[in-house]
Amino acid sequence: EAEVAQSPRYKITEKSQAVAFWCDPISGHATLYWYRQILGQGPELLVQFQDESVVDDSQLPKDRFSAERLKGVDSTLKIQPAELGDSAMYLCASSSLLGSGNTIYFGEGSWLTVV
Amino acid sequence: GENVEQHPSTLSVQEGDSAVIKCTYSDSASNYFPWYKQELGKRPQLIIDIRSNVGEKKDQRIAVTLNKTAKHFSLHITETQPEDSAVYFCAASPNYQLIWGAGTKLIIKP
């Protein structure tokens, strides 16, 4: 069964350092999402891509977070500089089409701890 | 915009009993309602979904009902088992967005 691939699975970084996460969606999935999930809370959408275009980044803290999906396939989420409050699980997800009713499949997530 | 409320935040049931989690939504344009299960430290996984042209959907011990008039939908789990312990999230989709509920922690007591 095809899966969304993410790396690294775990990352510990010091405050003010840069950190990057990579995601490879299910083959053929045009829509890619990055979510942040703080322990005990629900997933929060950071950015949504349709192919290489950003569809929604209204909740992305753009002063320190950036995301790109240059060729419309894999994607990178970067945080610079990292802050203590960024400690969370970063989930990448994909779906086959943009629009309501398309199942979203999640990767295993990247756990970030900022010390 | 769409708002999804989920209740209860925590639900404790005896093993073998049924569990019901309820969600309400605000945007009548929402037409897709998935439910995700998330075990501790793992990713959310889709367990069942329903579209607005259907009132009920069942998959073995899990069922979802949708009342479009009242704008609410519910997850029903029958004959609960220890492996059902997890956090359950409902969501509603009015367009390309998926709006999530806050989650329900389901505890199955032996």
Side-chain angles (χ1 to χ4, degrees):
Chain A
E1 184 177 319
E3 293 219 343
V4 177
Q6 287 189 247
S7 66
R9 289 292 320 279
Y10 305 94
K11 180 71 177 179
I12 300 174
T13 192
E14 292 184 346
K15 187 174 60 172
S16 80
Q17 295 299 303
V19 62
F21 303 108
W22 175 81
C23 172
D24 192 11
I26 292 172
S27 179
H29 279 195
T31 307
L32 185 147
Y33 313 77
W34 282 104
Y35 284 88
R36 175 172 60 186
Q37 187 174 26
I38 295 170
L39 200 61
Q41 299 182 16
E44 172 196 11
L45 180 68
L46 294 175
V47 61
Q48 180 177 343
F49 290 93
Q50 177 65 15
D51 299 312
E52 66 275 9
S53 300
V54 173
V55 174
D56 185 352
D57 64 355
S58 56
Q59 300 304 311
L60 187 71
K62 298 181 186 65
D63 56 335
R64 298 185 301 108
F65 285 65
S66 64
E68 60 183 16
R69 194 184 183 198
L70 294 176
K71 296 183 180 178
V73 181
D74 59 338
S75 176
T76 303
L77 177 71
K78 296 179 181 176
I79 308 173
Q80 182 173 21
E83 296 181 352
L84 296 177
D86 296 332
S87 294
M89 180 164 64
Y90 290 82
L91 289 157
C92 181
S94 69
S95 63
S96 57
L97 293 171
L98 182 68
S100 180
N102 295 290
T103 301
I104 294 176
Y105 298 92
F106 286 89
E108 292 189 307
S110 294
W111 286 94
L112 173 65
T113 300
V114 182
V115 297
Chain B
E2 176 64 284
N3 181 51
V4 176
E5 293 189 356
Q6 183 171 348
H7 300 280
S9 57
T10 304
L11 178 60
S12 183
V13 301
Q14 205 71 37
E15 182 179 347
D17 287 351
S18 295
V20 180
I21 302 170
K22 298 181 180 180
C23 289
T24 60
Y25 61 99
S26 59
D27 191 338
S28 57
S30 287
N31 57 11
Y32 174 63
F33 308 90
W35 286 88
Y36 284 82
K37 174 184 180 182
Q38 187 173 29
E39 297 177 16
L40 189 63
K42 297 190 176 181
R43 60 183 146 180
Q45 292 199 300
L46 180 74
I47 56 171
I48 197 167
D49 57 12
I50 192 168
R51 287 167 172 76
S52 59
N53 58 347
V54 175
E56 183 175 0
K57 184 176 178 181
K58 192 173 182 180
D59 182 4
Q60 299 182 346
R61 296 188 296 109
I62 293 172
V64 57
T65 59
L66 171 64
N67 183 326
K68 288 189 296 181
T69 303
K71 295 196 188 75
H72 66 71
F73 55 112
S74 300
L75 178 71
H76 304 253
I77 305 174
T78 59
E79 300 174 6
T80 53
Q81 300 170 4
E83 54 265 35
D84 295 329
S85 293
V87 178
Y88 292 80
F89 292 96
C90 66
S93 181
N95 43 45
Y96 63 86
Q97 295 177 315
L98 192 62
I99 310 301
W100 293 73
T104 296
K105 183 177 182 179
L106 177 61
I107 300 167
I108 307 300
K109 296 182 291 185

